[in-house]
Amino acid sequence: MGKGQNEGGFSQEQLDMYKECFRLMDINKDGTIDKNDLRGAFDNVGVLMNEGELDGLLGEIGGACSYDNMVKMFQEKMSGEGNDPDDLIIQAFKAYDIEGKIDVKMFQHALKTWGDKMTKAEIDEIFDEFDIDEDYMVKSKEVLGLFVAQKEEEKKVEEAPVVEEAPPAEDEDEGDAKKKKKKKKKAAK
């Protein structure tokens, strides 16, 4: 459990946010979000949902959509149940991988065009997290790190190896060895 998180894995701040969202979505204020509440909530943000979509969303709760059941559903989703396996996510990103980097412009175009389309503001918010080079490329590992857990072994491999100086050859006399050390010190400055 992370710092400031409760048993379900959410911080108090997150739970407060969920409670506020639930309150806003419970339009008839009966403590349960029904199809009419959900339709009204989506209408309020300019999204028209058909009956099947509303039924599908409510079906994910597994019972009445109370605040507690909604949080429970979020906990199940966040724990990985129903999420794409890491291997599938990695394979999807490999489609955009060019020698360990992803072309930012091409990837942003895909996010705006296919699947659950994202807005420019959403995309800008995500890409502000990355170090984008002068060729508009970002490291694939950096992007993948947002979506899949990195193993400790992988992180250790990324650390730079420690290079030790070799001792001077035995056939050198002491004077030559001291001169070389002075030269190395000057070159390092």
Side-chain angles (χ1 to χ4, degrees):
M1 223 172 356
K3 186 176 181 180
Q5 293 181 338
N6 63 20
E7 293 172 14
F10 295 120
S11 69
Q12 188 57 48
E13 184 179 341
Q14 288 171 310
L15 290 171
D16 291 343
M17 178 190 67
Y18 293 150
K19 190 169 279 194
E20 178 66 14
C21 289
F22 185 88
R23 189 185 66 72
L24 292 170
M25 292 175 70
D26 185 14
I27 293 171
N28 64 10
K29 306 299 179 210
D30 66 353
T32 303
I33 296 176
D34 60 19
K35 195 184 295 188
N36 289 328
D37 290 328
L38 201 55
R39 179 181 291 111
F42 278 103
D43 285 350
N44 286 338
V45 294
V47 177
L48 298 177
M49 302 286 283
N50 66 38
E51 294 293 313
E53 292 170 321
L54 295 170
D55 289 336
L57 287 173
L58 288 171
E60 289 184 37
I61 299 292
C65 186
S66 64
Y67 169 74
D68 291 335
N69 285 344
M70 183 181 79
V71 170
K72 182 181 173 190
M73 185 262 310
F74 288 155
Q75 289 169 338
E76 289 170 359
K77 294 248 183 229
M78 297 298 284
S79 72
E81 296 173 27
N83 290 339
D84 292 328
D86 288 354
D87 291 341
L88 180 63
I89 294 169
I90 291 168
Q91 289 295 4
F93 278 103
K94 280 188 178 179
Y96 294 96
D97 188 281
I98 304 167
E99 297 175 5
K101 292 187 175 187
I102 293 175
D103 182 315
V104 172
K105 299 275 187 204
M106 182 174 66
F107 193 58
Q108 288 176 338
H109 173 74
L111 293 172
K112 287 186 262 186
T113 308
W114 298 295
D116 293 334
K117 296 173 183 74
M118 298 179 77
T119 66
K120 181 176 178 351
E122 290 170 326
I123 292 169
D124 289 344
E125 184 178 338
I126 290 170
F127 280 88
D128 283 344
E129 300 290 320
F130 302 125
D131 292 324
I132 300 171
D133 68 18
E134 64 277 355
D135 296 324
Y136 294 101
M137 302 290 276
V138 65
K139 290 180 183 175
S140 299
K141 283 185 178 181
E142 200 174 330
V143 177
L144 271 173
L146 283 179
F147 297 96
V148 297
Q150 293 182 354
K151 296 177 185 169
E152 287 299 316
E153 295 168 11
E154 292 174 7
K155 290 179 182 176
K156 288 180 183 175
V157 170
E158 292 176 13
E159 293 176 11
V162 177
V163 180
E164 294 182 25
E165 275 189 43
E170 289 180 26
D171 62 336
E172 289 182 2
D173 67 20
E174 248 180 74
D176 288 341
K178 286 181 182 176
K179 287 178 186 175
K180 285 186 178 181
K181 283 184 181 177
K182 284 183 181 177
K183 285 183 183 178
K184 284 184 183 178
K185 285 182 181 176
K186 284 183 181 177
K189 290 179 183 178

